[in-house]
Amino acid sequence: MKRVFLLCLLLCGWWQSSLAQDELMALAKESDSVSLYTLATFKGTRIINGQSVQTPGKKNLQFLISHRFDRVNTGAYNFFGLDGALIRLGLEYGLSEDLVIGVGRSSYFKTYDAFGKYRFLRQRVDNRMPLTAAAFFSVNVRTQRLIPPDELSANDRLTYTTQLLLARRFSDAFSLQLSPTYVYRVRPEPGLDDQGVLALGIGGRYSITKDVTFNAEYFYVLPDQINSAYTNALSVGFDIHTGGHVFQLHFTNSYGMTERYFITETVDDWTDGDIHFGFNISRTFAFDKKAAAKKNW
């Protein structure tokens, strides 16, 4: 009887050992597959105003709160712009590691937006694929009622944006992204502006510490498309990563937080001191606990 008992123990031990080895092998394979690709090109899904090639991840929901305050040069009476603020609330969900959908609502002209982003190329650590590429498309609608009542139809209030996001992480510290952009405003303001506007965005980040990066972003609108009163958007700031949160603190001459406003309708100018302080705070919620546990491993 003792021999049978000992034999059972040995068989159980062998079976558990085999299971553990299988699990370790599976995790090792997953780790190897993940390590084929360059990770964390940027800290967040936005560089500052514009989209980055990052995604929230499969079955992850990201809640994003964005604030832009009034101009710093309004002085102490307006607490250097902090008395006036715009806000955008957004949700982004990862249908897969590479496909994202999102919605948002901004207080600027009471604008609603919806978008999709698909990352179709990923930079590899062996440089067999030297960059990460994603396609981005958004539609936004301005719902604010104008006084006196305007004659804008529902279609007139729409804006469509298409972007190709091309990024490369050159080192552990430095990443750069180019963002060729096409913005189509059904009814631009003023009316003499082109409906379709071509622009090129460039953004980058430089790591100061493991959890802090310096970011910069600039959108150049090609000449003779928009009113000369508008300027190109320039933004600089810092990303701070703390667990599931990313805090982005920045200064920009753009007041709006959707593509129409910060790419084609920025009116403030850095050279005149028209600078807005702002921040983005994102929190990611993981709905696939198994995948999250494996990824952390």
Side-chain angles (χ1 to χ4, degrees), residues 145-178:
R145 297 170 188 159
L146 301 182
I147 301 174
D150 63 279
E151 299 176 357
L152 291 179
S153 67
N155 188 57
D156 288 339
R157 295 172 176 272
L158 294 173
T159 299
Y160 304 94
T161 302
T162 304
Q163 289 184 307
L164 179 63
L165 312 175
L166 305 169
R168 176 172 172 79
R169 183 171 178 174
F170 288 90
S171 67
D172 288 344
F174 179 64
S175 297
L176 187 68
Q177 178 177 299
L178 294 177

Side-chain angles (χ1 to χ4, degrees), residues 46 48 62-68 86-92 105 245-248 250 257 278-283:
R46 281 167 175 72
I48 293 179
Q62 179 175 275
F63 179 44
L64 183 67
I65 303 171
S66 302
H67 267 78
R68 299 293 180 275
L86 296 177
I87 185 170
R88 179 185 178 274
L89 302 177
L91 290 172
E92 303 178 10
R105 200 268 188 187
H245 293 81
V246 176
F247 295 91
Q248 297 179 298
H250 41 255
M257 290 169 281
F279 62 83
N280 303 329
I281 301 175
S282 64
R283 176 70 171 97

Side-chain angles (χ1 to χ4, degrees), residues 23-296:
E23 287 177 3
L24 286 172
M25 287 295 288
L27 286 172
K29 282 180 183 175
E30 182 177 341
S31 177
D32 288 342
S33 92
V34 169
S35 66
L36 289 175
Y37 300 106
T38 300
L39 303 177
T41 305
F42 292 95
K43 291 284 185 190
T45 57
R46 281 167 175 72
I47 299 176
I48 293 179
N49 288 314
Q51 294 278 337
S52 77
V53 293
Q54 295 301 124
T55 70
K58 184 178 179 181
K59 294 186 179 179
N60 286 348
L61 179 68
Q62 179 175 275
F63 179 44
L64 183 67
I65 303 171
S66 302
H67 267 78
R68 299 293 180 275
F69 295 96
D70 205 351
R71 296 188 303 274
V72 174
N73 62 3
T74 55
Y77 179 74
N78 290 315
F79 204 42
F80 302 98
L82 297 184
D83 282 351
L86 296 177
I87 185 170
R88 179 185 178 274
L89 302 177
L91 290 172
E92 303 178 10
Y93 183 72
L95 297 174
S96 70
E97 286 295 329
D98 300 310
L99 180 60
V100 184
I101 55 173
V103 294
R105 200 268 188 187
S106 169
S107 58
Y108 197 46
F109 291 109
K110 303 187 186 301
T111 301
Y112 292 84
D113 64 275
F115 70 86
K117 180 165 63 175
Y118 178 62
R119 184 173 57 189
F120 56 90
L121 290 177
R122 293 184 69 181
Q123 181 180 343
R124 291 171 59 113
V125 293
D126 58 9
N127 274 325
R128 290 173 67 181
M129 175 50 64
L131 54 80
T132 298
F136 170 81
F137 175 79
S138 75
V139 57
N140 70 61
V141 56
R142 185 177 67 182
T143 65
Q144 180 171 302
R145 297 170 188 159
L146 301 182
I147 301 174
D150 63 279
E151 299 176 357
L152 291 179
S153 67
N155 188 57
D156 288 339
R157 295 172 176 272
L158 294 173
T159 299
Y160 304 94
T161 302
T162 304
Q163 289 184 307
L164 179 63
L165 312 175
L166 305 169
R168 176 172 172 79
R169 183 171 178 174
F170 288 90
S171 67
D172 288 344
F174 179 64
S175 297
L176 187 68
Q177 178 177 299
L178 294 177
S179 306
T181 302
Y182 179 73
V183 179
Y184 183 82
R185 299 172 294 171
V186 174
R187 184 164 171 175
E189 293 182 8
L192 295 177
D193 279 10
D194 290 352
Q195 286 181 301
V197 176
L198 290 170
L200 177 64
I202 181 169
R205 65 101 187 173
Y206 185 81
S207 293
I208 299 171
T209 68
K210 181 183 175 183
D211 296 316
V212 179
T213 65
F214 172 76
N215 290 16
E217 179 184 75
Y218 180 70
F219 278 92
Y220 173 72
V221 177
L222 276 63
D224 303 321
Q225 299 182 94
I226 59 176
N227 191 281
S228 60
Y230 292 134
T231 58
N232 294 323
L234 171 65
S235 311
V236 296
F238 296 90
D239 283 10
I240 304 169
H241 183 253
T242 58
H245 293 81
V246 176
F247 295 91
Q248 297 179 298
L249 310 174
H250 41 255
F251 292 94
T252 177
N253 63 323
S254 174
Y255 201 28
M257 290 169 281
T258 55
E259 286 74 22
R260 171 174 181 150
Y261 302 121
F262 68 78
I263 296 177
T264 66
E265 296 181 6
T266 291
V267 296
D268 293 324
D269 196 321
W270 278 77
T271 58
D272 295 330
D274 299 333
I275 302 167
H276 303 269
F277 172 67
F279 62 83
N280 303 329
I281 301 175
S282 64
R283 176 70 171 97
T284 301
F285 302 91
F287 289 94
D288 191 345
K289 303 297 184 183
K290 231 179 231 188
K294 286 182 180 179
K295 198 170 276 189
N296 290 336

